[in-house]
Amino acid sequence: MNHLILLFSLFLAPAFADSESQKTNNASHKRQKRDWIWNQMHIKEEIDTPLPHHVGKITSSIRNNYAKYIIEGEYANTIFKVEENSGDVYAFERLDREKKAEYELTALIIDRRNNQSLEPPSKFIIKVYDINDNVPVFVQKVFNGSVPEMSPVGTSVTKVTAVDADDPTVTGHATVTYQVIKGDEYFTVDDSGVISTTRADLDREHQSTYEIIVKAKDAPGSSGDSSTATVIITLTDINDNFPVFKHPSFHFKVPENISVGGEVGRVKVEDVDEPQHRNTKYSFVRGDYRDTFEIVANPFTNEGIIRPKKPLDFEKVAEYRFDIEATDPTVDLRYFKSGGSRSISTVTIEVTDVDEPPVFTKLPYEFKVKENDPEIRTLGSVWAHDPDAAKRKIRFIRRRASPNGDYVRVSDTGIIQLPKPLDREFSSSYNITVAAQEILEDGRLSDRESHAQVHVIVTDENDNAPELVYPEEPRVCENAAPGKVIIRISATDKDETSPRGFFKYSLATEDSNFSLVENYDNTANITVKYGQFNREVAKIHYLPVIISDNGDPELSSTNTLVISVCKCNEKGNFTFCEERPKQVGVSIQALVAIFICIFTIIIFFAVITLLILLRKRHKKDLSGLGRNVAEIHEQLVTYDEEGGGEMDTTSYDVSVLNSVRKNGIKPEAAPSPYAQVQKPPGNMTSGAGEMEMMIEVKKDEADNDRDLLPYDTLHIYGYEGAESIAESLSSLESGSSDSDIDYDFLNDWGPRFKMLAELYGSEPNEDFVY
């Protein structure tokens, strides 16, 4: 029909052109309505005929011999061109609808003489008809999917998608169908691209991944072109397998001193499921001593760790044998496979002997003892034995003590002893740590030891009297009324509280202006008895209070309350009180320092006394040398009185000392003890002879004295000679034990001989007391 209209338009075009020309020539300027006349333009894509391809024709109702058709637009005069006289539009390229489905152009008609438009421009569209020239293409070359193993038939796995570029509005041009061409025995795909399972026995442990190929094509029922894609499907794990022991039996060796909870060994199982689905539980099924061990599963390795629940003893049980079972309670029984739900293996544990420390018979040890009991010296004993086959003897040693000190001892045989009575007020319990060590064959002590705690509980004896406690200094107004409470007193007792009740309070004397009222709650009130105190008579009162503790035996103490009598105002408030005399106390540190000084002084005087006694003990008897043998000086005594020298006889009378020393009599009273005397006659033995005799005597003494050291000794002696009228003043002879001289007369000789009187005034066997 369209072609007929187009031909009709071509036949009528010259007539309209002549008529228009005549109207123009007649100079008729009357405006007439004009229209573009053409059909809707279409063209098929990918036309395989030679170019150009005719698209259509643009026609205007105007009739002008000079009319010219032109087109404008993006693709004008390139892809599309128009024949200027006829208006035929041609395509000079093969069109592809998948690239561009339609083109928009503008048609114009102008007067070729002046290029003036004869008609307003008009837009038209050229549509490209689709042909089924595109193959469906998958959006990706490889797809991935997953599905739990053992899933039922029809379980969705994943979805694939292919796209056809043809016009979907044309039936059959863009319809895509899918087909599994590899792996169709396990999976299938529907027309929407959803892949699902076709079998219910897909087992991950048999095959964990599947690679299938899916084909996509259009035009259902036809054998048109197609494309393919690969789909990788992974089977996810479910817990559908029980654990199985890798070995039918396990053997372990462990020392007997392994700690409780230590690792004996590990049993291994094989579970083909993935780690998150391995929940192996181990248990004992057969065998003795199953209560001695436990098996705990390692959550990371799924191994069974065997640990002892109690100490092992080689001497009692050297080998343990039992059967263990491994199972998984979380296995999904819907997918249970044949082969059994549990696995059993035999475990043998061999205990090896080690040198163990001694074992105490009981722990801990506890003894009770009365405090301050002098008769109790042995409390009991601790006992330990060698658990090994050697059965060595045990020695006990005290390691630690609390409180620190030598309060509780332990003998080598384990006897607990008290070196002195214990005081509960110092400590209510005494604790020591006793170590037990084995005695080796060579007598040495083993370096392995065990310990036991020994607790000594001290029971209380009523050995402390209660003591008075009052929170503040008691004061009373001088005009206080009778019954006025001065202070509330209480008491403390270092002993345990008596089960028979409260403390008892009383006054030591009733002859006072005070009274005591019991409160029956371990306190008492001190009150005014008569009233009206006289500050002129006494400003401070000392009130003795007796407190007893109702113990067994009952103990009491007398405590003094110092009560001040004060001036008060009308309201009873204290306005003036005498200041109490301050109690001067000495701190413990000062007392310790004083005792140390006293002890040092005592030691000093004891050393001096010891030196004096030693000097008197070593005095040698030289009486056999003769009456005129001079005294040999082994020690020199220095006096403050120097005198005038050996020949000075004017200062004091030395003959008196010499005569008394020889005769042992007391000197007669004389006007002056320092009278002058004449020197004795010089008819004495020669000094050289005396020295020779003295040396011979000393040599004989040294040869016959077995107590002397076996080497030469040099002795130096001082000899004054025979010319001195005072002879010798040395203490070597005068201090001998056989002397019968009484030196008490030296006390009568005045202050100059005070030192001699102190040195010689006591007998050698007397003890010096400072």
Side-chain angles (χ1 to χ4, degrees), residues 8 141 184 241 273 296 408 410 414 460:
F8 179 74
K141 297 298 292 183
D184 55 341
N241 292 278
D273 291 324
V296 181
V408 182
V410 59
D460 185 45

Side-chain angles (χ1 to χ4, degrees), residues 43 47 49-55 79 81 89-93:
I43 185 173
I47 300 175
T49 59
L51 295 172
H53 300 149
H54 185 268
V55 179
I79 296 178
K81 295 181 181 180
V89 179
Y90 295 92
F92 285 81
E93 292 182 8

